[in-house]
Amino acid sequence: MKRPTIDRGLVASELRRVERRFMLKSALSLGGLAMLSGCAIDDEPSVEKALATIMGFTDRVQAMIFSRNRVAREFSASQMTRPFPFNAYYDQDDIRVVDETRWRLEVSGLVSDRRPWSLAQFRALEQQRQITRHICVEGWSAIGSWSGVRLSTFLQHIGADTRAKYVKFGCFDDYSTSIDMETALHPQTIMVLDFDDASLPPTYGAPMKIRIPTKLGYKNPKYLASVEVTNIFPGGYWENQGYDWFGGS
Amino acid sequence: MTHRPHSPSLVTRVTHWVGALSMIVMIGSGWQIYNASPLLPFIFPAWATLGGWLGGGIAWHFAAMWSLMGSGAIYLLHGVASGRLRRDLRPRAAYLLLRDLGLAARLRLTHAPGTYNAIQRLLYSGVLGVVILAVATGLSIWKPVQLAFLAWAFGGYDIARRLHFALMCLIVGFLIVHVCLALIVPSTLFGMVFGRRVLVIDEDKPS
């Protein structure tokens, strides 16, 4: 798993999160640093382990009650949140931009065709539009309009083994996340090309993001760079720091 | 235990304390989660929160969710099956409630060992309802898609989130009153720990 590198713009936000990284990670990373976190109970490795075990149980329950046929509520255009908030693990000034004509989506893992995809190839496929509520793990939510290609359609095109457990998303802003195959095949899980009927702007993840209205915000990666189909648990940027992996709504 | 039908049963005592501990964890971790995106123009002080950061708070919140729902379900099933819930918490007539409120206002309301007065019945059954609603609103904002009917019943995600917060406030209010009164009348505390009240033991002595 690629660790986020600390560069110029990120130093401040990384420092803010230093404390967080001590929590709920492996017991090895705690040690003497536990003194800094100010919370005595869950610095205890056995408590961390118990919490992680219960979180695993909760994730299994989440997977169990998930249904591919149950869809997130769709809203009307007048109910959209304007302006839609920007949110990432860094500040808005640090958004990375790519040349959309040279951008390619890397494909790897348990698929029969690993050729990278261009935006034009995605534009040529049937587009799905949704106005759904994006819910952040922090509690706030916002209604936005996204359209693009169903992930299930794309997985079909690349000859993905849909019996595999996970789909992993890599991003060129060094973010990453992964989802279960059931959610990947959900009809509302789309590869977004447009936001609010215009090309996806850099603020919201240009040139491509994944929109999953059945999952929390941190399971909706922006600035997509790669898709991998795998049976090896891929984790993710926030999940590796302690957010629950399933993150379902 | 049959000769002392009005002392809390073992099931009641265990589920009370597991539920109480779970609720404390729910509140502390809930405040941690609230602080990540405050609904009102204030945040809870860090010392009063649990988990160290949002991810830790969520881990505690969902762990305590299971023990709260588990102990609550056992308490209710046991209470209904044994008839204790009906016997102990059935509301009293309005005039009795008014009488007890009047007594309480003049600090003359006494705890009769083994039976709950009208105010206790109202508070205990009320807080049970509030906790059930708090769990239901919590589930609705955790699973607004899979449990869409719950989110719909509470007026949608945003309103359900605010209701969840308001219900927490009611529970905290109850806890403050409840803990103060239990400390003022310690025999009730002994009863909930040991299953019998110190006073009752004295009365049971053969004369």
Side-chain angles (χ1 to χ4, degrees):
Chain A
M1 180 53 50
K2 196 173 182 180
R3 295 277 304 164
T5 50
I6 297 170
D7 63 35
R8 41 171 190 84
L10 291 178
V11 170
S13 58
E14 289 295 326
L15 280 175
R16 274 198 302 272
R17 292 188 164 93
V18 158
E19 184 186 4
R20 299 176 171 186
R21 294 187 179 182
F22 297 144
M23 313 301 294
L24 277 171
K25 282 174 64 186
S26 73
L28 291 170
S29 67
L30 290 164
L33 296 169
M35 298 294 287
L36 292 171
S37 69
C39 183
I41 306 169
D42 47 11
D43 286 340
E44 177 65 36
S46 60
V47 175
E48 288 222 357
K49 212 176 156 201
L51 284 175
T53 305
I54 300 169
M55 193 180 275
F57 169 74
T58 310
D59 268 11
R60 283 196 296 281
V61 173
Q62 293 197 69
M64 219 171 65
I65 64 174
F66 175 83
S67 164
R68 214 194 284 175
N69 303 318
R70 219 171 282 129
V71 292
R73 182 182 163 196
E74 304 219 6
F75 296 84
S76 66
S78 63
Q79 291 171 292
M80 284 176 59
T81 306
R82 295 178 190 278
F84 192 87
F86 164 81
N87 191 60
Y89 69 92
Y90 44 81
D91 293 330
Q92 200 160 350
D93 299 339
D94 301 314
I95 291 175
R96 278 164 250 187
V97 182
V98 288
D99 177 354
E100 303 208 348
T101 56
R102 287 168 62 183
W103 176 88
R104 294 290 181 275
L105 184 70
E106 303 293 330
V107 179
S108 64
L110 304 169
V111 300
S112 57
D113 185 351
R114 294 188 185 165
R115 280 177 298 181
W117 279 51
S118 70
L119 278 178
Q121 283 175 280
F122 284 105
R123 288 275 177 205
L125 294 175
E126 193 194 341
Q127 308 287 304
Q128 304 285 331
R129 184 164 172 268
Q130 61 171 267
I131 302 178
T132 50
R133 187 189 292 277
H134 169 107
I135 299 173
C136 181
V137 65
E138 294 177 334
W140 58 268
S141 71
I143 296 169
S145 166
W146 294 271
S147 61
V149 177
R150 274 193 182 133
L151 180 60
S152 62
T153 306
F154 173 71
L155 291 175
Q156 212 178 338
H157 273 88
I158 61 174
D161 179 0
T162 52
R163 292 164 305 173
K165 285 185 189 164
Y166 312 109
V167 178
K168 184 205 164 176
F169 305 108
C171 308
F172 59 82
D173 65 348
D174 293 328
Y175 191 76
S176 69
T177 189
S178 57
I179 59 170
D180 51 298
M181 185 58 79
E182 273 294 296
T183 301
L185 299 176
H186 188 277
Q188 286 177 316
T189 300
I190 60 174
M191 308 174 87
V192 173
L193 297 159
D194 294 319
F195 179 82
D196 198 9
D197 299 326
S199 263
L200 190 67
T203 322
Y204 304 135
M208 179 177 271
K209 75 162 268 154
I210 300 289
R211 172 68 191 136
I212 312 175
T214 57
K215 285 202 188 287
L216 292 171
Y218 65 92
K219 307 298 285 186
N220 288 242
K222 302 185 284 286
Y223 316 104
L224 203 64
S226 66
V227 170
E228 182 186 353
V229 178
T230 178
N231 277 318
I232 302 159
F233 181 71
Y237 179 87
W238 282 115
E239 296 88 333
N240 295 357
Q241 296 175 56
Y243 283 174
D244 66 289
W245 177 78
F246 196 89
S249 288
Chain B
M1 297 298 285
T2 45
H3 66 284
R4 237 195 310 274
H6 294 288
S7 52
S9 71
L10 182 67
V11 176
T12 302
R13 283 178 284 136
V14 170
T15 54
H16 170 269
W17 289 110
V18 172
L21 185 66
S22 304
M23 186 51 79
I24 301 289
V25 172
M26 280 311 241
I27 292 166
S29 58
W31 290 357
Q32 180 76 251
I33 297 168
Y34 167 96
N35 283 357
S37 179
L39 279 168
L40 300 167
F42 76 90
I43 60 166
F44 293 99
W47 59 261
T49 66
L50 188 64
W53 71 293
L54 176 59
I58 291 170
W60 279 107
H61 210 62
F62 285 116
M65 168 185 77
W66 295 119
S67 55
L68 181 68
M69 292 201 303
S71 58
I74 294 169
Y75 171 83
L76 289 175
L77 285 174
H78 166 77
V80 170
S82 68
R84 280 166 183 269
L85 214 54
R86 187 178 152 78
R87 185 197 69 204
D88 294 341
L89 299 184
R90 190 179 45 194
R92 283 279 168 88
Y95 78 91
L96 286 171
L97 179 65
L98 288 173
R99 183 201 67 188
D100 285 356
L101 280 171
L103 287 169
R106 281 171 282 139
L107 301 178
R108 294 245 177 87
L109 185 64
T110 52
H111 274 66
T115 44
Y116 293 144
N117 60 48
I119 296 174
Q120 281 178 299
R121 284 163 189 260
L122 188 69
L123 275 181
Y124 297 160
S125 52
V127 81
L128 276 177
V130 166
V131 170
I132 289 168
L133 281 176
V135 170
T137 50
L139 289 174
S140 82
I141 57 176
W142 180 40
K143 293 280 162 211
V145 179
Q146 308 307 326
L147 304 177
F149 64 97
L150 263 188
W152 171 83
F154 293 121
Y157 177 84
D158 271 339
I159 295 174
R161 187 175 167 226
R162 284 161 174 77
L163 281 174
H164 191 59
F165 182 86
L167 291 160
M168 174 278 294
C169 295
L170 289 178
I171 293 168
V172 170
F174 168 84
L175 274 179
I176 293 168
V177 172
H178 184 58
V179 171
C180 286
L181 288 177
L183 292 177
I184 293 171
V185 190
S187 68
T188 59
L189 193 56
F190 288 118
M192 196 46 94
V193 174
F194 302 110
R196 55 175 72 180
R197 290 157 196 270
V198 175
L199 291 174
V200 174
I201 295 168
D202 291 339
E203 285 165 8
D204 280 355
K205 275 180 189 165
S207 47

